[in-house]
Amino acid sequence: MASNEEEEVHTFASLGVCEQLAEACDALGWKKPSAIQVQSIPLALEGRDLIGLAQTGSGKTAAFAIPILQALLEKPHPLFACVLSPTRELALQIAEQFEALGSGIGVKCAVVVGGIDMMAQAIALAKRPHVVVGTPGRLLDHLTNTKGFNLRMLKYLVLDEADRLLNMDFEQEIDEILKAIPRERKTYLFSATMTNKVAKLQRACLKNPAKVEVSSKYSTVDSLKQQYLFVPAKYKDCYLVYLLNELSGSTTMVFTRTCESTRRLSLILRNLGLDAIPISGQMSQPKRIGALNKFKAGERNILICTDVASRGLDIPSVDMVVNYDIPTNSKDYIHRVGRTARAGRSGLAVSLVTQYDVELYQRIEQLIGKKLPEFPSEQEEVLLLHERVNEAQRIATMKLREKEGNKKHNKKRGDGGDDDDDDDRRFTGSKNNKKLKRSKGR
Ligand code: AMP
């Protein structure tokens, strides 16, 4: 969270936050409001619509949750607020924050996201929660198909990560949802970036909004050390293992371009005795949550993910971000590296640049406006790992084929065969594990 002078002098109470909620913040260990909260909360409490430019990690969720909860306290009724989120994970985190802040006042939330049984969600909606958090597609599905559920009493609508909602082509669903809710309401629109589409959405659904902004558009924080590593494409896995080994013990997120790579890499790394776990859009929702929880709890220290996982996830202590694949969309670089060096901590981001990625990488340097230093490495030393990485790659390929075969077989038998993305350690029996471990850090 960026600190600025304003933050120093404010307390939640001085922003107009009522005692109960200020106490809830205190109980969460929040000593003072973050910059986005300082700016947003008083305006929201005045009854203004808000457009907020802020990224995950800025404290933006509480910036909209606190005013909503305060209004709910004054006039409690069911189906009071609805928050639209681009991803299931973010939706769950938003609901968690509402519940954490509202636990003392008995706030009920329901989460309606895809990939989870509609029926269970319909039952949760029938209990008439105060706050509904969901992804647009599934929410619309319930508005259309769940008997007795409507949002006609809604007082607050939040569009979170609006740029992302729009990039994911949720425009039509959002339009439909807007038709199903009262015009007389407050609307908060939060977005990491201000795009043309976001501006259009703002015009369509906000009334005379106050604009709040906390960080300049594409900046990365100073406590973040960014480096690149030039790697021949054929030795990319070897370099990844080298890097992880050099910084063993760090909590790391490794970003890949495809779901397939998350699985392949985590099999390779686990075979080499590293504690990796994949998370991607292809996994079932319970598996994604399970994987994330293992990572959060420290049972696994390397999370391999696609960009689906790169935003919205509240993982407070990532030491390092590795761009195994350079993102095709440069802005994703900012979101990815934003997973580390959060809340004033330091962090490291390393991008593996092959001979095919030079142009993409240069675009990123242009976007962030600086040339990054190289991560120091000796190719000879890296290639000492080559043989073992090769063997691990071979076993991973075999294992993936085996799984593919099993899945087909299960499908034929009608078992469905969910993706198994966190295998047990039967497979990880590399005898050479110890040799891989070196002293921590450099
Ligand atoms: P967000 O930007 O909403 O994803 O929030 C990022 C993280 O900051 C979450 O883990 C929040 O619990 C935490 N947080 C929110 N507000 C504060 C605050 N005022 N002080 C400290 N942490 C906060």
Side-chain angles (χ1 to χ4, degrees):
M1 228 163 290
S3 66
N4 68 14
E5 268 174 44
E6 263 181 313
E7 262 183 280
E8 308 296 329
V9 293
H10 284 102
T11 62
F12 284 101
S14 76
L15 301 181
V17 177
C18 68
E19 209 180 312
Q20 264 167 306
L21 288 170
E23 275 169 13
C25 295
D26 196 46
L28 289 172
W30 302 351
K31 305 233 164 0
K32 57 186 184 201
S34 71
I36 190 74
Q37 292 160 3
V38 167
Q39 292 193 44
S40 309
I41 293 173
L43 290 163
L45 292 177
E46 269 174 33
R48 297 285 301 269
D49 276 4
L50 290 182
I51 164 127
L53 293 187
Q55 308 200 345
T56 299
S58 59
K60 67 181 164 68
T61 313
F64 61 73
I66 290 173
I68 291 176
L69 289 169
Q70 189 145 323
L72 180 68
L73 258 176
E74 281 162 19
K75 244 188 182 176
H77 72 75
L79 300 168
F80 189 79
C82 172
V83 185
L84 296 182
S85 137
T87 65
R88 309 160 182 187
E89 285 77 13
L90 181 61
L92 289 165
Q93 282 163 202
I94 294 169
E96 265 171 29
Q97 278 212 34
F98 267 99
E99 275 162 3
L101 286 165
S103 63
I105 54 178
V107 168
K108 278 193 290 181
C109 289
V111 177
V112 294
V113 292
I116 285 179
D117 181 38
M118 280 281 279
M119 201 54 199
Q121 292 173 357
I123 293 169
L125 292 174
K127 291 186 181 151
R128 307 186 51 78
H130 301 104
V131 182
V132 178
V133 187
T135 45
R138 181 54 70 94
L139 181 75
L140 189 59
D141 208 348
H142 279 292
L143 281 171
T144 322
N145 299 314
T146 299
K147 266 207 180 120
F149 170 61
N150 66 64
L151 290 173
R152 276 180 238 135
M153 297 280 282
L154 195 77
K155 295 282 181 261
Y156 285 83
L157 173 71
V158 182
L159 299 149
D160 196 19
E161 301 213 345
D163 48 350
R164 192 123 191 270
L165 278 170
L166 297 170
N167 281 343
M168 290 170 75
D169 283 336
F170 277 133
E171 255 164 314
Q172 205 183 336
E173 284 88 349
I174 294 172
D175 274 352
E176 292 295 318
I177 292 167
L178 288 173
K179 281 183 207 151
I181 61 176
R183 275 167 187 273
E184 271 314 305
R185 56 158 205 268
K186 304 276 178 271
T187 309
Y188 303 149
L189 187 154
F190 279 81
S191 183
T193 52
M194 187 65 185
T195 61
N196 289 342
K197 280 185 179 177
V198 174
K200 200 173 142 208
L201 181 66
Q202 171 196 334
R203 286 192 296 275
C205 65
L206 272 67
K207 277 190 206 145
N208 183 26
K211 187 172 169 189
V212 290
E213 181 170 3
V214 284
S215 60
S216 64
K217 247 189 181 177
Y218 301 121
S219 65
T220 46
V221 291
D222 292 340
S223 52
L224 169 68
K225 188 166 158 193
Q226 303 173 80
Q227 293 176 321
Y228 77 94
L229 191 49
F230 191 71
V231 307
K234 64 175 173 180
Y235 298 132
K236 204 171 172 186
D237 291 354
C238 215
Y239 271 88
L240 174 68
V241 174
Y242 170 81
L243 185 62
L244 293 171
N245 218 30
E246 283 294 288
L247 289 130
S248 64
S250 305
T251 322
T252 302
M253 285 176 88
V254 176
F255 284 92
T256 69
R257 204 165 288 148
T258 65
C259 299
E260 182 66 31
S261 308
T262 61
R263 283 207 300 269
R264 195 185 66 87
L265 279 182
S266 80
L267 286 172
I268 292 174
L269 296 179
R270 289 226 296 274
N271 185 251
L272 293 165
L274 295 163
D275 272 331
I277 192 163
I279 186 168
S280 74
Q282 253 176 25
M283 288 160 68
S284 68
Q285 179 68 356
K287 290 240 156 158
R288 284 159 81 171
I289 296 172
L292 190 58
N293 284 344
K294 277 189 189 163
F295 183 65
K296 277 188 181 178
E299 280 172 46
R300 300 278 194 278
N301 68 329
I302 303 169
L303 185 71
I304 320 242
C305 49
T306 53
D307 281 302
V308 171
S310 75
R311 285 181 62 191
L313 292 189
D314 185 18
I315 304 162
S317 54
V318 182
D319 304 318
M320 171 161 74
V321 165
V322 178
N323 289 309
Y324 174 83
D325 290 318
I326 301 296
T328 22
N329 180 350
S330 311
K331 281 180 207 160
D332 281 335
Y333 176 86
I334 312 280
H335 300 311
R336 289 181 179 186
V337 302
R339 312 311 314 169
T340 184
R342 297 175 73 188
R345 293 192 196 89
S346 60
L348 173 66
V350 183
S351 302
L352 302 186
V353 184
T354 72
Q355 63 270 39
Y356 308 115
D357 306 316
V358 176
E359 212 184 305
L360 277 181
Y361 178 70
Q362 283 171 340
R363 259 191 253 157
I364 291 169
E365 284 194 331
Q366 246 169 18
L367 184 76
I368 57 178
K370 53 184 164 195
K371 288 233 171 279
L372 302 180
E374 191 169 356
F375 183 93
S377 70
E378 292 291 340
Q379 180 154 341
E380 266 173 33
E381 203 186 327
V382 177
L383 293 188
L384 289 177
L385 296 164
H386 184 49
E387 219 171 285
R388 268 150 56 208
V389 172
N390 239 347
E391 175 64 4
Q393 285 171 326
R394 195 184 61 77
I395 300 174
T397 310
M398 210 168 66
K399 182 86 182 171
L400 282 172
R401 276 205 204 119
E402 207 177 280
K403 269 195 201 171
E404 220 24 68
N406 282 347
K407 237 193 269 168
K408 275 190 195 141
H409 178 70
N410 287 344
K411 250 190 200 147
K412 257 194 203 152
R413 289 177 32 202
D415 290 1
D418 191 13
D419 251 354
D420 184 349
D421 286 286
D422 185 25
D423 278 352
D424 56 33
R425 308 302 175 91
R426 268 175 300 152
F427 167 62
T428 63
S430 167
K431 290 189 188 104
N432 300 322
N433 289 353
K434 288 219 168 62
K435 277 194 205 154
L436 267 175
K437 305 265 181 226
R438 296 181 200 178
S439 59
K440 192 181 164 184
R442 50 174 49 219

